[in-house]
Amino acid sequence: MTSTTSTSTSTSAGIGAGAPAAGGAAAEPARASSSAPLDGPWRDPALPAAERAAALVAAMTPEEKIAQLFGIWVGASADGAEVAPHQHDMAEPVSLDELLPTGLGQLTRPFGTAPVEAVAGARSLARTQRTIVESGRFGVPALAHEECLAGFAAWGATAYPVPLSWGASFDPELVREMAARIGDDLRSVGVHQGLAPVLDVVRDARWGRVEETIGEDPHLVGTVATAYVQGLESAGVVATLKHFAGYSASRAGRNLAPVSMGRRELADVVLPPFEMAVALGGVRSVMHAYTDIDGVPSAADESLLTGLLRDTWGFDGTVVADYFGVAFLETLHGVAGSRAEAAGLALAAGVDVELPTVDAFGPALVAAVRAGEVDEALIDRAALRVLTQKAELGLLDPGWDPEAPLARADDIDLDTAGNRALARRLADEAVVLLRNDGVLPLAGALPLTGAGSASGVGRGSEAGRGTAPRLAVVGPNADTSAALLGCYSFPAHVGSQHPDVAVGIELPTFAERLREAVPGLGAVVAGCDVDGTDASGIPAAVDAARDADVALVVLGDRAGLFGRGTSGEGCDAVDLTLPGVQQQLLDAVLDTGTPTVVVLFTGRPYALGRAVTEAAAVVQAFFPGEEGAAAVVDVLTGATTPSGRLPVSVPAHPGAQPSTYLQSPLAARSAVSDVDPTPAFGFGHGLSYTTFDWDVVVPGGGDGPLRVPTVGEVALEVTVHNTGDRIGADVVQVYLHDPVAETVRPGQRLVAYGRTPQLAPGEQAVLEIVVPVDLASATGRDGLRRIETGALQLRVARSSSDVVAAVDVEVTGEARVVDHTRRLTSVVTVR
C-alpha cells in the first residue's frame, strides 16, 4: 500500500503534548443532527447480518450509500480530542463537518499517521466515533483500519520481525500466535481492520517490497499467510489480503511498474496463496494491486475481482482499494477519462471501498449516479457488502459503545512482556546461519554473562573455555536500531518524520546487546554508511579487524519509503550488490586475514561476493524486529542454536535477476549463456550447531515406484534424530519434481514442510507427512488445472539444493481436472 510523503495538518506536537489537535476539544464543530438515529431492522441483532444490511441500504439515499464506500485519512489527537483529517498532496482537502451528515465508511490510520499514546488515541477515536454516530440519520459508526504488517503500526506498539522473517521461521503456528496478539492490540484501542498480510510471491529480489513478502515459494507464502489471517481474524479483526494480484512481478523489480506475465504463471505461482487464504483462512477483506497485467489494471479487472475471487472462490467480504488506486485508473493507467469514470470501472470490477480518502467516490460519483452514468445497483452492491461487515462486527447493534475499548484505558500496553517474548521467539527461529567454518558459536571462548536466552539454553554452560578472543565490531549496521526494523514498522514508517519524539519501545542495537554478553567489548567502527559513497572510514575498520582475533562485520539495509532507504516501498535496487560501499568494506576486512563473521540485517537477499567462500561465517537476519539484536547475539554466542531457513535464494552474482529457485530448465545454468543464475545459497538453506540424521519411511511402500491414483495421497514418515551435542530444531522440506508434463514446470517446488520442536542431544521427533496428489496439479495449455498421470518424485530435503531421500511415485488412472475445491495443502503432524 502506498503512503504519502507530505505532512499532516493534524499531527500533534509530541506524545502527551497538551495542545489540542485541529478539530479537537478547543473548537467543537457544529453537527448536523443530535437526534436519536433512525430505527429499523438493521438494529436487530437476531436477524442475519446480510438481511440487516439490505434493510439499511434500502432506506438510504444515494449520497448516504456512497458515504459508506470511502474512508477519510485522519490523525488521532495526543490529548484525546477528536481526530482531524490528514491533508496531503494526492487528494483534495476534506472536511469532516461537511461529510458526516451523510455518514462515513472508514477512518484511515488514526494511530498510524502521527505519534500518539495508546490511551489518548483510543479516546480520540472513540470521541470521533460518537460524533459520527450522532451526525448521520442512521447512526452508523466508521470502520477503523490500520497497518499491521510487522505488528500494529502505532507508537509504542511491539515491532515484530518482518514477513520475510516469518517465512524464514517455517513456523506457521508461531505466526498465527503473533497475529492473534496483534489483533488483540488493535481491538484494545478500537481498530476493526488490519491491512495485512502481503501474499505477493517474490519474483525479482530487486523489488523494494521484498521485506514485506514471506518468500519466493507460493506454498510457503500461502501456508504462513493463512496462519496470519487465522490469528488476526481469531481476535475479531478483519484481515486484508494484499496485493491482489501480481504486484511483485513488476518489470525490472520497479515499484508500480507493469507486469509481464502469462496466465499459467499467474495461476500457478501468484494466485495460490490468495486462494489458500480465502479457502482456509476465513479472510474478510482483499486489497487490489496497483498492477496492470496484459493491459488490464487489477482495480478494473472484473474477471479477477468478481469472476475469480467471488464467483469461483466464494469470497464474500469486502474488496478495498490500495491507496489512491481508484484514481490511478485515470492518472496512471489511462483507462478512465475522469474520476467518475474511474469510480464506475472500479465498482463494476468489484471494488467496494475507496482508500485512503474520498476522491473518485466523492461528489463526481454522486453526480454520475444521479445522471444515470453509473448504475446505482453497483452502489447498492458495494454498500451491502460494507454494511454486512459492519453488522458482523457489531457496529449496527443498539448497544454498540465506542467507549468499550476504554474500559481498561489506564493500562493499555501495546508492548507487553508477552508481546516481546513472542517477538523474541520468532526472531530466534528466523535467524539463518548461511555459512560456518567452525568459528561459530563463540561461546567456547567468550566470557558470557546473563541468565539465559529466550530459547531456554543457558548462557555460559560450556566448560573448558579458553582465553577470550579479541573481537572487532565494524560495519554501518552494528550500532543502529534502524537495522532491525522494516519499512512498515512505526518507527521507520512514521516515527522517522518526528525525530523529536521518543521511539516508544525498547530498541537496543546489535552492539548494545553484544556488550551485555561480552563485557569489555571495544568501540564499534562503522567504516561507512549504509548507502553512502564515502569510503574514508574503511581504513579504521581494517585496522580494528587486523588487531582482532575475530572480526564481526555488520552490514545490510536501512528501511524507508520512496528512496529514503535501501529497502522498502519505492526503494528498488538496480542490482543485488550490497548498498553503498559495503562490499568494499567487507572485502577490505577479508583481506586482513582475520577470521570474519558477516552479520546481515537486510530486507532482501544480497550477493556477498568473496564472503560466500572466504568468510568464516555468514549470519542472515531479515529485519528481525525489536528483539532481533538479542536473537542474533545469542546465535553468535551459542546461547541459541540457529534453525532459520532461507525463504528466498541468496544470489551468487548481483546481476542474475530476475531469478528464483522456481526455475524451468531453460532458466538454469547453460553453455549458451555466460550469465549463471545458480544461487550461492538456495531456497530453504540453513545450518545448525548440532547435527540431525533422518530416517525416511514410506508406509506401504515396496520395490519400484509407489502407485497412487489421481485422487490419492502419499504418506511419508520422517524421523529426525539429534545426533549432535547441542539442543536444536530442524526443518524437513518436501519438494515435488514432475519430469514430464504437458506444460513446462519448475524443476521442483515445495509441497510440504515441518519444523521439529527443540530436541536435546539424543532426542528424536517423527513427522508424519501426507501429500495429496492434488498438489501435483498445474494449469494446462487449455487453461484448466489438471492432474496428469505418470511419474512424479517427492524429494525429502534439507533445502532445495540438499536432497536427503527421493520417493518415486507413479500416478495412475485417468487425468483429472480439478478446481478450487481441490486440496490445497499437505498435512504435517509432529510427534
Side-chain angles (χ1 to χ4, degrees):
M1 186 181 59
T2 298
S3 295
T4 178
T5 57
S6 57
T7 58
S8 167
T9 61
S10 65
T11 54
S12 61
I15 300 301
E28 189 68 35
R31 301 301 179 188
S33 171
S34 60
S35 60
L38 295 177
D39 201 1
W42 51 86
R43 292 289 175 194
D44 186 356
L47 294 177
E51 185 176 330
R52 297 167 68 188
L56 186 51
V57 170
M60 285 179 161
T61 65
E63 288 86 351
E64 288 168 330
K65 288 181 287 191
I66 290 173
Q68 292 298 314
L69 308 185
F70 57 74
I72 298 297
W73 198 334
V74 298
S77 169
D79 63 358
E82 290 182 18
V83 303
H86 173 59
Q87 313 293 3
H88 38 77
D89 56 10
M90 293 188 70
E92 293 295 323
V94 297
S95 168
L96 278 174
D97 293 348
E98 295 176 3
L99 291 172
L100 291 190
T102 55
L104 182 61
Q106 291 224 4
L107 289 168
T108 294
R109 303 194 67 186
F111 291 84
T113 299
V116 60
E117 188 270 333
V119 173
R123 287 178 176 150
S124 180
L125 178 56
R127 180 173 184 149
T128 302
Q129 290 279 36
R130 180 74 68 191
T131 299
I132 293 170
V133 168
E134 293 174 351
S135 298
R137 289 197 303 150
F138 299 99
V140 179
L143 189 151
H145 77 257
E146 286 288 354
E147 296 285 357
C148 56
L149 189 68
F152 181 11
W155 186 87
T158 305
Y160 291 95
V162 298
L164 205 55
S165 277
W166 311 351
S169 76
F170 276 72
D171 192 346
E173 291 299 324
L174 188 56
V175 171
R176 183 183 291 107
E177 186 178 346
M178 174 195 68
R181 280 187 172 270
I182 293 171
D184 287 341
D185 287 339
L186 291 165
R187 282 291 299 273
S188 74
V189 294
V191 174
H192 310 103
Q193 181 174 1
L195 302 187
V198 169
L199 288 85
D200 294 296
V201 178
V202 175
R203 304 303 284 160
D204 188 333
R206 294 173 296 181
W207 191 49
R209 305 188 77 168
V210 167
E211 65 174 67
E212 300 178 39
T213 73
I214 295 167
E216 69 184 35
D217 178 88
H219 187 78
L220 179 67
V221 172
T223 51
V224 173
T226 297
Y228 182 96
V229 168
Q230 291 168 339
L232 201 67
E233 292 279 358
S234 73
V237 172
V238 176
T240 306
L241 308 184
K242 56 186 193 180
H243 306 89
F244 193 62
Y247 187 27
S248 59
S250 57
R251 291 179 190 167
R254 292 181 61 248
N255 195 45
L256 247 69
V259 172
S260 301
M261 180 186 298
R263 59 180 177 174
R264 273 169 285 279
E265 182 181 356
L266 181 69
D268 294 345
V269 177
V270 170
L271 294 178
F274 291 94
E275 185 176 6
M276 192 182 298
V278 169
L280 305 179
V283 70
R284 289 183 282 176
S285 186
V286 173
M287 175 181 284
H288 77 71
Y290 287 134
T291 47
D292 60 73
I293 301 176
D294 197 23
V296 180
S298 295
D301 191 345
E302 185 174 4
S303 67
L304 178 73
L305 300 183
T306 298
L308 179 66
L309 179 63
R310 294 190 184 277
D311 297 344
T312 300
W313 291 353
F315 175 74
D316 61 0
T318 57
V319 173
V320 301
D322 203 343
Y323 281 19
F324 308 104
V326 177
F328 286 169
L329 294 176
E330 177 192 0
T331 61
L332 293 184
H333 297 291
V335 297
S338 66
R339 289 295 202 274
E341 189 177 348
L345 286 174
L347 286 163
V351 177
D352 302 310
V353 179
E354 181 180 30
L355 297 179
T357 195
V358 58
D359 185 9
F361 283 16
L365 177 58
V366 173
V369 171
R370 291 289 189 189
E373 296 168 0
V374 173
D375 190 348
E376 189 172 352
L378 296 176
I379 305 298
D380 293 348
R381 182 178 72 173
L384 178 63
R385 293 166 180 166
V386 168
L387 291 169
T388 297
Q389 194 161 90
K390 288 190 175 184
E392 292 170 345
L393 291 167
L395 299 182
L396 303 186
D397 293 354
W400 181 81
D401 180 6
E403 307 289 338
L406 295 171
R408 299 173 63 244
D410 292 337
D411 61 351
I412 294 177
D413 185 356
L414 301 179
D415 190 30
T416 64
N419 284 10
R420 295 191 72 95
L422 184 57
R424 177 61 178 277
R425 284 171 55 203
L426 185 52
D428 282 344
E429 291 189 2
V431 177
V432 186
L433 179 62
L434 298 182
R435 171 178 167 80
N436 186 22
D437 70 358
V439 69
L440 296 181
L442 300 169
L446 292 176
L448 303 179
T449 61
S453 76
S455 64
V457 184
R459 297 180 187 265
S461 60
E462 296 192 9
R465 288 195 184 90
T467 303
R470 293 168 298 166
L471 293 180
V473 180
V474 305
N477 268 350
D479 206 14
T480 172
S481 58
L484 309 175
L485 302 176
C487 175
Y488 270 79
S489 67
F490 187 86
H493 201 72
V494 179
S496 60
Q497 301 175 50
H498 301 269
D500 296 332
V501 177
V503 70
I505 54 176
E506 184 183 351
L507 200 57
T509 69
F510 170 80
E512 288 169 343
R513 284 303 192 207
L514 187 61
R515 287 190 180 97
E516 294 174 2
V518 186
L521 188 70
V524 171
V525 182
C528 63
D529 294 331
V530 166
D531 56 350
T533 58
D534 184 1
S536 62
I538 291 179
V542 168
D543 289 343
R546 187 177 289 114
D547 292 340
D549 297 312
V550 176
L552 303 181
V553 185
V554 190
L555 308 172
D557 279 316
R558 181 188 69 256
L561 280 168
F562 308 120
R564 296 198 296 267
T566 61
S567 175
E569 187 172 357
C571 298
D572 310 314
V574 174
D575 60 31
L576 296 183
T577 303
L578 282 164
V581 295
Q582 291 185 70
Q583 187 67 53
Q584 185 178 340
L585 168 64
L586 175 55
D587 289 346
V589 173
L590 289 171
D591 285 341
T592 66
T594 300
T596 300
V597 176
V598 182
V599 178
L600 299 163
F601 292 102
T602 70
R604 62 162 66 87
Y606 284 104
L608 303 174
R610 295 163 48 197
V612 170
T613 56
E614 296 181 31
V618 180
V619 176
Q620 172 72 66
F622 296 108
F623 289 142
E626 63 185 44
E627 289 291 321
V632 172
V633 167
D634 271 2
V635 164
L636 294 176
T637 60
T640 298
T641 298
S643 61
R645 301 292 185 266
L646 281 176
V648 285
S649 306
V650 172
H653 306 289
Q657 285 292 312
S659 179
T660 77
Y661 96 100
L662 293 175
Q663 296 179 351
S664 68
L666 284 181
R669 178 176 55 190
S670 72
V672 297
S673 174
D674 57 0
V675 176
D676 182 1
T678 305
F681 304 104
F683 173 86
H685 171 76
L687 303 178
S688 177
Y689 293 152
T690 190
T691 56
F692 297 97
D693 283 350
W694 294 1
D695 293 328
V696 180
V697 175
V698 183
D703 295 335
L706 183 67
R707 294 176 62 82
V708 182
T710 56
V711 295
E713 60 190 26
V714 179
L716 307 171
E717 283 190 1
V718 183
T719 302
V720 179
H721 308 260
N722 185 345
T723 56
D725 59 2
R726 286 177 173 267
I727 190 172
D730 202 8
V731 176
V732 175
Q733 303 162 43
V734 180
Y735 295 85
L736 174 72
H737 169 61
D738 190 346
V740 180
E742 177 190 2
T743 56
V744 176
R745 308 286 169 81
Q748 60 184 350
R749 55 188 174 88
L750 188 71
V751 292
Y753 62 89
R755 168 182 275 271
T756 74
Q758 292 284 329
L759 300 175
E763 285 189 332
Q764 68 180 39
V766 178
L767 280 72
E768 298 175 347
I769 303 170
V770 178
V771 182
V773 178
D774 283 9
L775 295 188
S777 66
T779 304
R781 297 184 185 185
D782 57 2
L784 298 177
R785 178 178 290 278
R786 63 170 47 83
I787 302 169
E788 299 177 31
T789 58
L792 293 177
Q793 189 177 77
L794 292 177
R795 298 170 174 176
V796 182
R798 301 185 191 278
S799 74
S800 60
S801 54
D802 185 2
V803 176
V804 173
V807 178
D808 291 322
V809 177
E810 183 75 18
V811 179
T812 63
E814 296 287 333
R816 182 165 67 94
V817 173
V818 296
D819 58 17
H820 64 284
T821 62
R822 73 192 184 280
R823 294 170 67 179
L824 298 174
T825 187
S826 300
V827 177
V828 180
T829 305
V830 182
R831 56 179 175 84

